[in-house]
């Protein structure tokens, strides 16, 4: 049975998208943005990613390079084991363990603790340059990612107050693992969820949205390039202690602030697009 259209003729948001009907269409696997949202890890993921670096800095200052390497690997392994015990996704923990392994391998091969931070400096420089390069092309990468995880035409973040992180995580998990109703029809989207309706207008056709995503992309690029600008002179001066402090200060705290600003701006963009699509009140 086809769901009825709403008052202005658009398809009901709960209706199945014509291109995502069930059956063997031969299109292969469809990406699930709710799954991607959960895999990002949220605040827990950022804290887990910082633990090996903290362990390396403290242990290296107390017991030297070998002690720092041992504690960094141990912390990464503990994060992995903790996630496995809690039956959480180990994908991020494996990625963190790989990153720590590369960093400690470089530090051990050179015999210098400062080289532990080389992969991070290079990574930040590359990400910052790529983010900046996407803005003149009118494909700001923050907008691409935001529209993939939470399309603004759905208005999923269009609220007058920014929702709490706990509630957003619970909502993402509920969408990822929905309870099947007793009289459910055939699933029409990934993981049995109703397929999202197609936007009536692409987000890149709205100059205000593109401009806002552009400034957000510049903000994130500055956060990455700021780390490079601060850490590179400290690396060249062989200031291991200050290099570690800069890595921590410019890591989680700065990322948390940038993420909070991003969520606030994106929520306003969602309200803007919902109000624009709905048109003036009758």
């Amino acid at each position: 049975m086809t769901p009825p259209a709403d008052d202005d003729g658009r398809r009901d948001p709960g209706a199945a998208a014509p291109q995502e009907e069930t059956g063997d269409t031969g299109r292969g696997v469809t990406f699930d943005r709710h799954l991607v949202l959960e895999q990002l890890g949220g605040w827990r993921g950022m804290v887990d990613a910082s633990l090996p670096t903290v362990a390396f800095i403290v242990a290296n200052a107390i017991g030297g390079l070998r002690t720092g390497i041992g504690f960094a690997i141990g912390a990464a392994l503990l994060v992995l084991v903790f996630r496995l015990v809690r039956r959480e996704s180990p994908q991020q923990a494996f990625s963190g363990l790989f990153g720590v392994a590369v960093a400690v391998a470089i530090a051990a091969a050179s015999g210098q603790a400062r080289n532990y931070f080389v992969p991070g400096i290079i990574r930040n420089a590359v990400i910052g340059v790529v983010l900046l390069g996407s803005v003149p092309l009118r494909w700001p990468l923050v907008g691409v990612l935001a529209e993939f995880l939470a399309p603004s035409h759905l208005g999923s973040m269009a609220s007058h107050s920014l929702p709490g992180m706990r509630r957003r995580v619970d909502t993402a998990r509920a969408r990822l693992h929905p309870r099947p109703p007793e009289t459910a029809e055939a699933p029409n989207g990934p993981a049995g969820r109703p397929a999202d309706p197609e936007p009536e207008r692409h987000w890149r056709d709205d100059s205000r949205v593109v401009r806002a995503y552009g400034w957000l992309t510049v903000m994130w690029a500055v956060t990455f390039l700021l780390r490079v600008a601060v850490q590179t002179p400290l690396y060249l001066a062989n200031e291991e202690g200050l290099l570690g402090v800069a890595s921590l200060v410019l890591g989680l705290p700065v990322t948390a602030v940038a993420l909070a600003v991003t969520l606030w701006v994106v929520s306003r963009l969602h309200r803007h697009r919902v109000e624009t699509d709905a048109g003036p009140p009758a």
Side-chain angles (χ1 to χ4, degrees):
M1 179 176 180
T2 304
D6 56 14
D7 294 337
D8 56 359
R10 292 197 300 267
R11 186 162 34 84
D12 189 339
Q19 67 272 20
E20 292 189 15
E21 295 179 354
T22 56
D24 187 9
T25 59
R27 295 182 58 189
V29 179
T30 302
F31 284 107
D32 189 339
R33 60 185 172 85
H34 301 298
L35 178 62
V36 176
L37 180 62
E38 187 173 81
Q39 294 300 315
L40 290 178
W43 300 104
R44 264 281 311 278
M46 290 190 291
V47 173
D48 290 348
S50 302
L51 289 179
T53 300
V54 174
F56 175 82
I57 294 171
V58 175
N60 177 69
I62 296 175
L65 177 59
R66 289 194 176 186
T67 305
I69 290 176
F71 272 77
I73 296 177
L77 289 174
L78 283 177
V79 170
L80 175 60
V81 172
F82 182 75
R83 284 183 173 269
L84 291 176
V85 170
R86 291 176 58 88
R87 295 185 178 181
E88 298 175 348
S89 173
Q91 176 181 344
Q92 196 169 36
F94 276 119
S95 301
L97 181 61
F98 176 77
V100 170
V102 172
V104 299
I106 295 176
S110 63
Q112 296 181 350
R114 64 173 184 167
N115 287 332
Y116 176 87
F117 302 96
V118 168
I121 295 175
I122 296 176
R123 180 184 66 246
N124 289 330
V126 172
I127 294 176
V129 171
V130 171
L131 286 173
L132 282 181
S134 68
V135 175
L137 300 177
R138 289 182 56 84
W139 278 99
L141 291 181
V142 171
V144 174
L145 180 61
E147 290 293 325
F148 177 71
L149 295 178
S152 57
H153 71 280
L154 298 181
S156 57
M157 292 182 66
S159 60
H160 293 286
S161 60
L162 189 64
M165 183 59 65
R166 173 67 64 180
R167 195 176 74 183
R168 289 202 58 75
V169 172
D170 292 341
T171 302
R173 288 178 177 173
R175 290 176 176 176
L176 182 65
H177 305 291
R179 292 184 178 180
E182 295 180 0
T183 57
E185 297 180 359
N188 45 25
R193 293 181 295 97
D196 293 332
E198 291 296 325
E200 293 188 348
R201 180 173 59 158
H202 196 272
W203 63 271
R204 292 184 66 247
D205 295 332
D206 191 324
S207 60
R208 176 178 173 180
V209 174
V210 174
R211 185 166 58 251
Y213 279 142
W215 282 112
L216 286 177
T217 303
V218 171
M219 179 192 70
W220 278 100
V222 169
T223 64
F224 285 104
L225 295 178
L226 177 63
R227 296 165 187 164
V228 178
V230 172
Q231 289 181 297
T232 300
L234 296 176
Y235 172 82
L236 297 176
N238 200 21
E239 295 286 350
E240 298 176 358
L242 293 178
L243 189 58
V245 172
S247 175
L248 294 178
V249 172
L250 298 176
L252 182 57
V254 174
T255 301
V257 172
L259 183 59
V261 173
T262 301
L263 292 176
W264 179 74
V265 174
V266 170
S267 66
R268 293 179 64 86
L269 291 179
H270 280 217
R271 291 201 300 271
H272 161 71
R273 286 205 68 184
V274 170
E275 294 168 356
T276 302
D277 293 343

